[in-house]
Amino acid sequence: ATTGVPPPAPAPAPPAPPKRTVPNRVAPTLDARAEARKQNRKILAERTNARLAEQRAAAAAAKEERERSRRHDVAYEEHARAARDERAAKEARLELARQYNRLARLHRDRATLLWRGLKPWVVFYETRRAASRKASRWHADGLVQRIFGTWCAWRERRRAAVIARQTRILARAAATASTAS
């Protein structure tokens, strides 16, 4: 898990003091001790550089882990949002289907009531009532027609009788008037 950036180069070692060309005659052990100190400083610098390199590598790994975690979180959030959207769309489709089913049930109940329940009885009742009215009117109309026909015949006979009587009266009056003149 590297970021593609090489780790920084270790710090340069401090410049070495100039070497003596002549051994120290006063204290020959001083040279050995100075050499030991030099070796210790070199070992300490290597350890420090190694520790710094490890810290840089750990920091780079932590940064890479944070970046990977962020990408994972973004991908997870996108997936969760897509799942939420899909659930919402599915719920909307189900609600629409429920509404259509409710409407179909209402239509079926109304149609059943009209065409197989109450409506045939209402039609039957209206038909019987109309037939009864028609029969009553037919009987009454027939009775009126017979009475009217009889009355018209009586009236014609009566008019003929009145005309015959008036004709007789006029004929008698004319006969009386012609005999009197």
Side-chain angles (χ1 to χ4, degrees), residues 16-20 27-43:
K19 284 191 168 193
R20 289 187 205 178
T29 59
L30 288 178
D31 284 337
R33 285 178 39 208
E35 189 63 34
R37 277 194 308 271
K38 185 178 173 184
Q39 286 298 325
N40 285 340
R41 275 193 299 264
K42 186 177 179 183
I43 291 171

Side-chain angles (χ1 to χ4, degrees), residues 149-163:
T150 307
W151 177 77
C152 285
W154 173 80
R155 191 166 165 242
E156 288 296 320
R157 284 193 312 266
R158 176 82 177 136
R159 183 181 293 231
V162 167
I163 290 175

Side-chain angles (χ1 to χ4, degrees), residues 114-115 117-131:
L114 284 177
W115 301 108
L118 184 62
K119 182 75 172 185
W121 287 106
V122 169
V123 169
F124 173 74
Y125 177 74
E126 288 297 324
T127 305
R128 293 293 295 160
R129 192 170 171 195

